[in-house]
Short mmCIF file of all heavy atoms in Angstrom, two decimals:
data_model
loop_
_atom_site.label_atom_id
_atom_site.label_comp_id
_atom_site.label_asym_id
_atom_site.label_seq_id
_atom_site.Cartn_x
_atom_site.Cartn_y
_atom_site.Cartn_z
N ALA K 116 14.65 -11.14 13.13
CA ALA K 116 13.68 -10.20 12.54
C ALA K 116 14.42 -8.92 12.14
O ALA K 116 15.52 -8.65 12.62
CB ALA K 116 12.55 -9.88 13.51
N PHE K 117 13.79 -8.15 11.28
CA PHE K 117 14.50 -7.00 10.70
C PHE K 117 14.86 -5.96 11.74
O PHE K 117 15.73 -5.11 11.49
CB PHE K 117 13.66 -6.38 9.58
CG PHE K 117 12.67 -5.35 10.04
CD1 PHE K 117 12.96 -4.00 9.96
CD2 PHE K 117 11.46 -5.73 10.57
CE1 PHE K 117 12.07 -3.04 10.39
CE2 PHE K 117 10.55 -4.78 11.01
CZ PHE K 117 10.86 -3.44 10.92
N LYS K 118 14.21 -5.99 12.90
CA LYS K 118 14.51 -4.97 13.91
C LYS K 118 15.97 -5.02 14.36
O LYS K 118 16.50 -4.02 14.83
CB LYS K 118 13.55 -5.11 15.08
CG LYS K 118 12.13 -4.73 14.66
CD LYS K 118 11.15 -4.71 15.79
CE LYS K 118 9.80 -4.15 15.34
NZ LYS K 118 9.04 -5.07 14.47
N ASP K 149 8.61 -9.10 19.15
CA ASP K 149 9.84 -8.92 18.40
C ASP K 149 10.76 -7.80 18.91
O ASP K 149 11.98 -7.96 18.96
CB ASP K 149 9.53 -8.61 16.93
CG ASP K 149 9.15 -9.86 16.17
OD1 ASP K 149 9.32 -10.96 16.73
OD2 ASP K 149 8.68 -9.72 15.03
N PRO K 261 5.76 -4.79 4.40
CA PRO K 261 4.72 -5.10 5.41
C PRO K 261 4.85 -4.11 6.56
O PRO K 261 5.93 -3.93 7.11
CB PRO K 261 5.05 -6.52 5.85
CG PRO K 261 6.47 -6.76 5.48
CD PRO K 261 6.81 -5.82 4.36
N THR K 262 3.75 -3.44 6.90
CA THR K 262 3.84 -2.23 7.71
C THR K 262 2.99 -2.29 8.96
O THR K 262 1.85 -2.78 8.93
CB THR K 262 3.37 -1.02 6.87
OG1 THR K 262 4.09 -1.02 5.64
CG2 THR K 262 3.62 0.29 7.58
N GLY K 263 3.54 -1.77 10.07
CA GLY K 263 2.80 -1.65 11.33
C GLY K 263 2.92 -0.24 11.88
O GLY K 263 1.99 0.55 11.86
N ASN K 264 4.12 0.10 12.33
CA ASN K 264 4.39 1.40 12.93
C ASN K 264 4.88 2.43 11.93
O ASN K 264 5.26 3.53 12.32
CB ASN K 264 5.46 1.24 14.01
CG ASN K 264 4.90 1.49 15.38
OD1 ASN K 264 4.00 2.32 15.53
ND2 ASN K 264 5.41 0.81 16.37
N PHE K 265 4.92 2.10 10.66
CA PHE K 265 5.35 3.00 9.59
C PHE K 265 6.84 3.34 9.68
O PHE K 265 7.31 4.28 9.06
CB PHE K 265 4.52 4.32 9.65
CG PHE K 265 4.42 5.02 8.32
CD1 PHE K 265 3.54 4.58 7.36
CD2 PHE K 265 5.21 6.13 8.04
CE1 PHE K 265 3.44 5.24 6.13
CE2 PHE K 265 5.12 6.79 6.81
CZ PHE K 265 4.23 6.33 5.87
N GLY K 266 7.61 2.54 10.44
CA GLY K 266 9.03 2.85 10.60
C GLY K 266 9.82 2.39 9.38
O GLY K 266 10.54 3.17 8.75
N ASP K 267 9.66 1.12 9.05
CA ASP K 267 10.39 0.53 7.96
C ASP K 267 10.06 1.24 6.64
O ASP K 267 10.95 1.64 5.88
CB ASP K 267 9.99 -0.95 7.89
CG ASP K 267 11.04 -1.80 7.24
OD1 ASP K 267 12.09 -1.27 6.84
OD2 ASP K 267 10.79 -3.02 7.10
N SER K 315 3.26 -8.70 14.75
CA SER K 315 4.11 -7.52 14.87
C SER K 315 3.56 -6.34 14.08
O SER K 315 4.13 -5.25 14.11
CB SER K 315 5.53 -7.84 14.41
OG SER K 315 6.07 -8.85 15.23
N MET K 316 2.49 -6.55 13.36
CA MET K 316 1.83 -5.45 12.64
C MET K 316 0.43 -5.20 13.20
O MET K 316 -0.36 -4.50 12.58
CB MET K 316 1.76 -5.78 11.14
CG MET K 316 3.14 -5.96 10.60
SD MET K 316 3.37 -6.47 8.90
CE MET K 316 1.80 -6.78 8.24
N ILE K 318 -1.14 -3.12 15.03
CA ILE K 318 -0.93 -1.79 15.59
C ILE K 318 -1.95 -0.87 14.96
O ILE K 318 -2.21 -0.96 13.76
CB ILE K 318 0.49 -1.31 15.23
CG1 ILE K 318 1.52 -2.11 16.04
CG2 ILE K 318 0.66 0.18 15.46
CD1 ILE K 318 2.93 -1.93 15.57
N HIS K 395 4.42 -12.15 8.07
CA HIS K 395 4.54 -10.71 7.80
C HIS K 395 5.01 -10.47 6.37
O HIS K 395 4.44 -9.68 5.62
CB HIS K 395 5.52 -10.05 8.78
CG HIS K 395 5.15 -10.25 10.22
ND1 HIS K 395 5.37 -11.43 10.87
CD2 HIS K 395 4.55 -9.43 11.11
CE1 HIS K 395 4.93 -11.33 12.11
NE2 HIS K 395 4.43 -10.13 12.29
N THR K 418 10.67 -9.56 6.57
CA THR K 418 10.97 -8.93 7.87
C THR K 418 11.23 -9.92 8.99
O THR K 418 11.69 -9.52 10.06
CB THR K 418 9.82 -7.99 8.28
OG1 THR K 418 8.58 -8.70 8.18
CG2 THR K 418 9.78 -6.76 7.38
N ALA K 419 10.91 -11.19 8.80
CA ALA K 419 11.18 -12.17 9.86
C ALA K 419 11.48 -13.53 9.27
O ALA K 419 11.02 -13.87 8.17
CB ALA K 419 10.01 -12.27 10.83
N PHE K 424 7.43 -17.80 13.56
CA PHE K 424 5.97 -17.86 13.52
C PHE K 424 5.50 -19.22 12.98
O PHE K 424 4.84 -19.30 11.94
CB PHE K 424 5.41 -16.70 12.68
CG PHE K 424 5.84 -15.37 13.23
CD1 PHE K 424 6.95 -14.72 12.71
CD2 PHE K 424 5.18 -14.81 14.31
CE1 PHE K 424 7.38 -13.51 13.26
CE2 PHE K 424 5.61 -13.60 14.85
CZ PHE K 424 6.72 -12.95 14.33
C1 PLP U 509 8.01 -4.70 13.59
C2 PLP U 509 7.72 -5.64 12.46
C3 PLP U 509 7.03 -5.22 11.29
C4 PLP U 509 6.47 -3.82 11.13
O1 PLP U 509 7.46 -2.86 10.98
P1 PLP U 509 7.13 -1.31 11.18
O2 PLP U 509 8.43 -0.60 11.10
O3 PLP U 509 6.50 -1.21 12.55
O4 PLP U 509 6.18 -0.93 10.12
C5 PLP U 509 6.85 -6.13 10.27
N1 PLP U 509 7.29 -7.40 10.37
C6 PLP U 509 7.95 -7.84 11.47
C7 PLP U 509 8.39 -9.25 11.52
C8 PLP U 509 8.19 -6.98 12.56
O5 PLP U 509 8.84 -7.44 13.65
#
Side-chain angles (χ1 to χ4, degrees):
F117 87 98
K118 292 186 173 72
D149 282 349
T262 308
N264 247 327
F265 206 78
D267 205 1
S315 298
M316 300 175 355
I318 289 168
H395 303 77
T418 51
F424 302 95

